């Protein structure tokens, strides 16, 4: 690989008349959109320093937090050390999508074909709209105005190709026709990460950019000067995509053959759905049908179109641009469910005028799947599939948040080490379970953790309360435990384990003790004279 730097490869020949040209695109970008979505949901105030985290680090930071030195990618404790008043909020892609729906609907009043790249970023074709409005400046002004009417401040950039349009949006400019490659040549190769649409694609692009820089390809111009024939064997499909973007072209080459027909599935809702959970249940089945149809044909798609028709003849439609194309039924369902929540909750400003009578999902820009297929042992067993369908049925009857599944994650107490997520949502831990957790309750962990801690009393041999001192030291030896007015004799106990978490946010110290009462074993937590049951062992 080092020969790539020591012996420069020949440059691409200059473009000739009739050579490939990139699509003229307009990109609308709302800075720090996840933060703005959290503020819109009432989770923080606009004047506060805010950061969103996913358990591994910060994924979005407000302008005021950046002024205090907080940066994306930091650990939470490091960020709070720089800014003690920092408001930390869990990242939620569903919330970001729902809050961005009013913006997308406002943009459709200007350009009907508005594609959602990711929450906070919309991509629109610029040629036809700019001709209709008179100029690209008029198009940019109309898009910014439409976003402002929906309550957000946005920036618009227009250029040839996705990457240059994304960078142009960050500076609110219009790059002249045919000048994208020239403008990109001096940009840092790290700018490639801006076109990633998902967390996985961003991670892959970051790894690829790190490789480019280790090989001496520091700017996009350095990457663009490589020959395409040498890029593919050395960097694979992602390298070819990055190479095209660096040259100011579209991520995928234009098709010279007849495109694959779209894959469309639809379902009539009887009775019509006017609740989010009922519509989401139908969407799950429809997404499974679409994914199955695509796998049978051996294709993937670049766009997913979601359409809902109402009882009075109205229609709501949204198009998602997908990254990678090969999505599972759960991933497809997430996108459809988020869209339905945005419509049916009324937060989008365009609530259906009547119950939803039909749903339609269309896989557009279809292409052969190549390697996007299940492994020999990757399919779900019959029992698991039946259990999944049963859980979906119950979820459709009693609500999306009423059927939960546990996910193990990092933490000190048993309650912190399990996260409950809605069935069908991505089972992702917010905290790394393999990370060191000083003061963690040792194994074995309780088999049962009550929904809320149960009050208890701990007494010594003389019937006096056992208390917890300032440093977590017990004053007295546990001899009796009373829970729900039932007293139990303590036959053995272990501990104490003092824990003082989130002291910078007002967290109070507490002490854990394991006690054995005959055939029962309890995990108790104490603070001063107060005790409560945190878990029960089998």
């Amino acid at each position: 690989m080092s020969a790539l730097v020591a012996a420069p490869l020949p440059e691409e020949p200059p473009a000739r008349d009739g050579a490939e040209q990139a699509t003229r695109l307009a990109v609308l970008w709302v800075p720090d959109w996840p933060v703005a979505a959290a503020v819109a949901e009432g989770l923080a105030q606009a004047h506060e320093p805010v950061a969103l985290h996913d358990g591994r680090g910060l994924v979005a930071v407000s302008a005021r937090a950046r002024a205090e030195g907080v940066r994306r990618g930091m650990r939470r404790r490091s960020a709070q050390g720089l800014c003690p008043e920092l408001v930390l909020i869990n990242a939620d892609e569903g919330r970001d999508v729902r809050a961005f729906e009013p913006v997308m609907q406002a943009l459709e009043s200007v350009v009907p074909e508005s594609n959602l790249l990711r929450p906070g970023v919309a991509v629109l074709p610029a040629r036809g709209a700019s001709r209709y409005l008179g100029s690209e400046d008029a198009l940019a002004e109309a898009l910014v105005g439409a976003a402002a009417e929906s309550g957000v401040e946005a920036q618009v950039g227009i250029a040839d190709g996705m990457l240059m349009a994304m960078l142009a949006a960050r500076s609110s400019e219009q790059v002249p026709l045919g000048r994208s490659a020239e403008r990109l040549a001096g940009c840092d190769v790290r700018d490639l990460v801006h076109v990633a649409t998902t967390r996985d694609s961003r991670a892959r692009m970051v790894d690829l950019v790190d490789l480019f820089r280790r090989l001496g390809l520091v700017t996009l111009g350095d990457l663009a000067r490589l020959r395409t024939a040498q890029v593919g064997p050395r960097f694979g499909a992602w390298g070819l995509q990055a190479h095209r973007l660096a040259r100011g072209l579209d991520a995928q080459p234009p098709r010279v053959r007849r495109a694959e027909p779209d894959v469309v599935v639809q379902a009539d809702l009887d009775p019509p759905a006017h609740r989010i959970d009922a519509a989401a249940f139908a969407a799950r089945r429809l997404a499974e049908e679409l994914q199955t149809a695509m796998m049978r044909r051996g294709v993937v798609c670049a766009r997913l179109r979601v359409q809902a028709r109402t009882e009075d003849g109205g229609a709501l439609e949204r198009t998602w641009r997908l990254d990678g194309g090969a999505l599972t039924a759960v991933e497809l369902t997430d996108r459809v469910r988020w869209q339905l929540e945005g419509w049916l909750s009324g937060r989008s400003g365009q609530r259906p005028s009547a119950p939803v009578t039909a749903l339609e999902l269309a896989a557009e820009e279809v292409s052969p799947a190549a390697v996007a297929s299940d492994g020999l042992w990757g399919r779900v067993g019959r029992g698991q599939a039946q259990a999944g369908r049963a859980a979906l049925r119950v979820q459709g009857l009693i609500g999306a948040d009423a059927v939960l599944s546990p996910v193990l994650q990092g933490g000190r107490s048993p309650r912190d080490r399990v996260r409950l997520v809605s069935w069908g949502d991505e089972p992702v831990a917010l905290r790394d379970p393999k990370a060191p957790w000083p003061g963690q309750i040792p194994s074995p962990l309780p088999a049962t953790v009550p929904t809320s801690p149960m009050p208890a009393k701990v007494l010594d041999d003389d019937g006096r309360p056992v208390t917890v001192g300032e440093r977590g030291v017990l004053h007295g030896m546990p001899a009796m435990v009373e829970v729900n007015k039932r007293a139990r004799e303590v036959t053995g106990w272990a501990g104490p384990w003092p824990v003082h978490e989130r002291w910078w946010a007002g967290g109070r110290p507490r002490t854990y003790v394991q006690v054995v009462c005959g055939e029962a074993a309890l995990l108790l937590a104490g603070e001063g004279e107060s005790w409560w049951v945190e878990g029960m062992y089998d």
Side-chain angles (χ1 to χ4, degrees), residues 443-463:
S443 297
L445 293 177
T448 303
V449 177
T451 304
S452 57
M454 298 184 296
K457 292 182 179 180
V458 181
L459 307 175
D460 61 12
D461 289 328
D462 297 328

Side-chain angles (χ1 to χ4, degrees), residues 280-327:
F281 175 68
R284 289 179 188 273
R285 293 182 299 172
L286 207 58
E288 291 177 355
E289 293 180 13
L290 178 64
Q291 198 262 356
T292 301
M294 293 175 62
M295 293 298 294
R296 287 177 177 174
R297 285 181 49 183
V299 296
V300 295
C301 65
R303 298 200 311 172
L304 172 67
R305 178 169 53 83
V306 183
Q307 186 179 65
R309 291 191 296 274
T310 59
E311 202 170 29
D312 60 356
L316 298 172
E317 184 176 313
R318 172 68 60 241
T319 301
W320 281 79
R321 181 164 292 277
L322 307 179
D323 193 11
L327 297 181

Side-chain angles (χ1 to χ4, degrees), residues 325-390:
L327 297 181
T328 65
V330 173
E331 293 170 327
L332 289 173
T333 299
D334 283 342
R335 284 159 172 78
V336 179
R337 177 170 54 84
W338 294 336
Q339 194 60 62
L340 291 175
E341 287 179 356
W343 284 335
L344 295 177
S345 65
R347 287 189 292 266
S348 66
Q350 192 176 349
R351 188 183 181 94
S353 55
V356 176
T357 59
L359 290 175
E360 179 179 291
L361 305 183
E364 301 178 339
E365 297 184 13
V366 175
S367 60
V371 296
S373 60
D374 286 340
L376 294 177
W377 298 274
R379 298 187 181 278
V380 177
R382 179 181 179 183
Q384 186 176 353
Q386 290 176 340
R389 286 194 294 269

Side-chain angles (χ1 to χ4, degrees), residues 150-172:
S150 65
V152 300
E153 296 182 3
Q155 299 176 199
V156 173
I158 301 177
D160 300 330
M162 177 68 75
L163 180 56
M164 190 65 252
M166 290 285 294
L167 298 180
R170 294 176 174 269
S171 55
S172 298

Side-chain angles (χ1 to χ4, degrees), residues 11-12 181 185 219-227 242-243 246-248:
E11 299 181 3
E12 283 281 357
T219 67
L220 292 174
D222 297 334
L223 177 60
R225 282 191 289 272
L226 301 181
R227 280 190 176 275
H243 185 240
R247 293 163 58 197

Side-chain angles (χ1 to χ4, degrees), residues 27 29 155 157-159 161-173 175 183-184 187-188 190-192 194-195 220:
V27 170
W29 172 60
Q155 299 176 199
I158 301 177
M162 177 68 75
L163 180 56
M164 190 65 252
M166 290 285 294
L167 298 180
R170 294 176 174 269
S171 55
S172 298
E173 62 176 324
V175 178
R183 291 286 302 276
L184 288 171
C187 296
D188 195 305
R190 294 191 184 98
D191 289 333
L192 286 168
H194 294 313
V195 300
L220 292 174

